[in-house]
Amino acid sequence: MDTSLVALGALAAASLVSAALWYAAVKSAPLAVVASALTVALVTYFAYPVYRGVAASPLILADSAILGAAIALGVGLALKRWHLRKKELP
């Protein structure tokens, strides 16, 4: 398996976990998206160069922040629908 696919899968998994934890902690969608994106970006910025043996680049930081924010938005929408459905049930 290509190491880039492993890194992308780890980034997606970290984004899902981070987004779920931030939504559970702060209960605010905008703050959770920003915090999750920053968390994933910083972890990726420091872990990816160690994993691949390359120099750290600001582009890695920007790319992972964008991907982390997109995944956090997806997690937030799903959790919001789940909470609304949970409130509607008798």
Side-chain angles (χ1 to χ4, degrees):
M1 181 178 278
D2 187 23
T3 56
S4 296
L5 290 176
V6 173
L8 184 61
L11 176 64
S15 296
L16 287 171
V17 171
S18 175
L21 289 174
W22 277 109
Y23 275 104
V26 297
K27 306 280 193 250
S28 169
L31 183 60
V33 168
V34 171
S36 177
L38 289 176
T39 301
V40 170
L42 289 175
V43 167
T44 304
Y45 184 72
F46 291 112
Y48 184 74
V50 172
Y51 175 72
R52 291 292 301 244
V54 296
S57 168
L59 292 176
I60 293 172
L61 185 67
D63 290 342
S64 59
I66 292 168
L67 185 61
I71 291 174
L73 281 171
V75 170
L77 292 175
L79 287 176
K80 186 174 182 177
R81 288 186 64 187
W82 179 72
H83 282 296
L84 289 175
R85 184 174 293 160
K86 188 176 173 182
K87 288 180 182 178
E88 292 175 356
L89 294 175

